[in-house]
Amino acid sequence: MKLGVHDLLIRETGKTNQDVFNDTKKMVVELDNLGYDRYWFAEHHGFENLLSVAPEILATYFLSNTENIVIGTGGTMIMHYSPLKVAETFKTMAELAPGRVDLGIGRAPGSGPLEIRALNQGYPNKSSQLYDEIKIILDYLEDKEPNDPVFSRVKAIPMNNEKLVMPWMLGSTGQAVPVAAEWGMPYSHAKFFAVETPDYIFKDYKKNFKASSFADKPYISMSYKMLIADDKDELEYLGKAFDYFHLQQARGRSKGLVSPEDVKDYEFDLNEKALLQKSYDSRFILKGTKKEIADILYDEISKFDLDEILAFTPIYGVENRINTYKALKEIFE
């Protein structure tokens, strides 16, 4: 089973911007050494404690600091940018690190309405589902001429990449799955977004997949919010702050990663307990010992016919996050 990471660069209580970036560097290098397959940076705007606002820059920097791991964006929110700019950015990255560049294509804003306007004043003129823009990007990555008259006479440079950028269709509802199958794109599902998605959608994707220059067979990854610890006291101690973060995120708030000490006396109310129980029952978030998480993941792999697991670990303490990644790796060794 291939393994990867979904990172939002969440600030911990009391840490500076530089602390966050230094911790991220420690994790990326460690996971490259551990043999992880992939590391993705998300794109969010307008949240002071989420520092992954420029994922393509982060990916480029960390490609130069690693040897083997594939690095990319999970995702690039294309509503904010010209398809030509997206294509040229990632084609340039592909020249710097051939065969190690992912472009996760997201259709959500990753921001609020004010940020949308500030990032791209022309957004209201774009197609509502952004599939037209995605097709233009895919054509550019293959050095094809897009059908759109605005882009058809413009080339995306550099051309003739030795290894193509790998474009992924991202989603959390399953709505984009048929398009991913039609265009021959690997599909990555953010299950931690907490949207119920029937398993037949993934079966249809594999059944209807059409091979492309990017992928000769269907490929599904799924992202889970995850905490693994075999020590029960540690699991309980870290887990309360882990649960607290999930509740804040579900409410559209971002206080960053609070210290377990700051919430050790916090009492979840009945609504919070119900939301947490629903999230665990639906496997949007996973918390447990290595054996418990292994049982869940092997069942998920069978249910959805998964090819890869991505871990999103909003856990306080960089060493604690690394320990969860190590435990996840050990599950599949």
Side-chain angles (χ1 to χ4, degrees):
M1 176 58 56
K2 289 187 178 293
L3 299 175
V5 170
H6 216 143
D7 197 351
L8 280 61
L9 269 72
I10 309 169
R11 188 201 313 275
E12 294 179 20
T13 304
K15 290 209 169 184
T16 66
N17 294 341
Q18 196 60 55
D19 291 334
V20 176
F21 289 119
N22 287 339
D23 285 347
T24 303
K25 183 173 182 178
K26 183 174 184 177
M27 281 195 297
V28 177
V29 171
E30 179 74 20
L31 294 180
D32 187 33
N33 292 333
L34 283 173
Y36 262 69
D37 298 282
R38 198 174 317 281
Y39 203 109
W40 278 358
F41 296 99
E43 179 177 349
H44 290 276
H45 301 278
F47 300 96
E48 184 179 349
N49 292 310
L50 302 182
L51 300 187
S52 187
V53 297
E56 69 284 358
I57 294 178
L58 291 167
T60 303
Y61 174 80
F62 286 110
L63 282 165
S64 69
N65 283 273
T66 52
E67 297 292 334
N68 300 302
I69 194 168
V70 173
I71 299 182
T73 61
T76 293
M77 302 297 113
I78 64 168
M79 67 164 57
H80 305 311
Y81 314 111
S82 156
L84 177 62
K85 180 59 177 176
V86 173
E88 291 194 327
T89 296
F90 282 83
K91 285 163 73 76
T92 299
M93 291 164 63
E95 290 296 324
L96 296 171
R100 295 177 56 210
V101 177
D102 281 345
L103 165 58
I105 297 177
R107 296 174 297 115
S111 66
L114 295 178
E115 289 80 14
I116 293 175
R117 176 179 292 182
L119 286 161
N120 186 354
Q121 291 180 305
Y123 171 67
N125 298 321
K126 290 194 173 189
S127 61
S128 60
Q129 295 299 314
L130 298 171
Y131 293 125
D132 294 342
E133 283 77 11
I134 294 174
K135 188 62 171 67
I136 293 167
I137 292 169
L138 297 182
D139 286 341
Y140 274 148
L141 294 182
E142 293 186 88
D143 295 332
K144 292 181 178 178
E145 181 181 298
N147 289 328
D148 189 297
V150 173
F151 298 95
S152 61
R153 299 178 66 182
V154 179
K155 298 184 184 300
I157 310 298
M159 300 183 71
N160 304 310
N161 287 137
E162 175 188 346
K163 298 285 187 180
L164 292 180
V165 174
M166 178 58 75
W168 290 70
M169 185 74 82
L170 307 187
S172 59
T173 65
Q175 181 182 358
V177 169
V179 180
E182 176 69 21
W183 291 346
M185 301 172 66
Y187 176 72
S188 186
H189 189 77
K191 193 167 184 180
F192 64 81
F193 274 23
V195 179
E196 293 282 3
T197 307
D199 57 354
Y200 74 81
I201 287 177
F202 303 96
K203 294 176 182 176
D204 287 350
Y205 164 78
K206 293 215 167 181
K207 180 175 69 176
N208 298 323
F209 184 88
K210 296 180 180 179
S212 69
S213 299
F214 305 112
D216 60 2
K217 59 184 179 181
Y219 194 94
I220 299 173
S221 72
M222 195 167 288
S223 299
Y224 300 86
K225 194 178 292 181
M226 196 178 302
L227 166 61
I228 308 173
D230 279 336
D231 184 281
K232 287 293 187 179
D233 290 337
E234 180 184 7
L235 188 63
E236 181 178 353
Y237 182 68
L238 296 174
K240 194 165 189 179
F242 178 78
D243 289 345
Y244 183 83
F245 175 84
H246 178 70
L247 293 169
Q248 295 302 309
Q249 190 176 47
R251 293 165 174 160
R253 304 169 187 169
S254 178
K255 295 184 178 179
L257 296 179
V258 299
S259 167
E261 284 295 312
D262 293 339
V263 294
K264 66 180 181 180
D265 297 323
Y266 183 84
E267 294 292 336
F268 297 121
D269 63 31
L270 291 177
N271 288 333
E272 291 173 328
K273 290 178 180 178
L275 177 57
L276 286 169
Q277 190 62 53
K278 168 66 174 174
S279 297
Y280 282 111
D281 290 346
S282 299
R283 296 174 174 176
F284 301 144
I285 57 178
L286 310 179
K287 178 179 68 177
T289 65
K290 190 161 55 177
K291 174 64 168 59
E292 291 167 340
I293 300 302
D295 289 344
I296 292 172
L297 288 178
Y298 276 112
D299 188 59
E300 291 282 288
I301 291 165
S302 175
K303 180 178 180 180
F304 297 110
D305 194 14
L306 302 181
D307 301 286
E308 184 170 332
I309 298 292
L310 294 180
F312 166 40
T313 59
I315 304 166
Y316 188 85
V318 63
E319 292 297 339
N320 296 322
R321 293 195 288 280
I322 290 173
N323 286 339
T324 280
Y325 294 133
K326 287 179 177 178
L328 179 61
K329 181 73 173 174
E330 290 168 0
I331 287 173
F332 296 102
E333 287 180 341

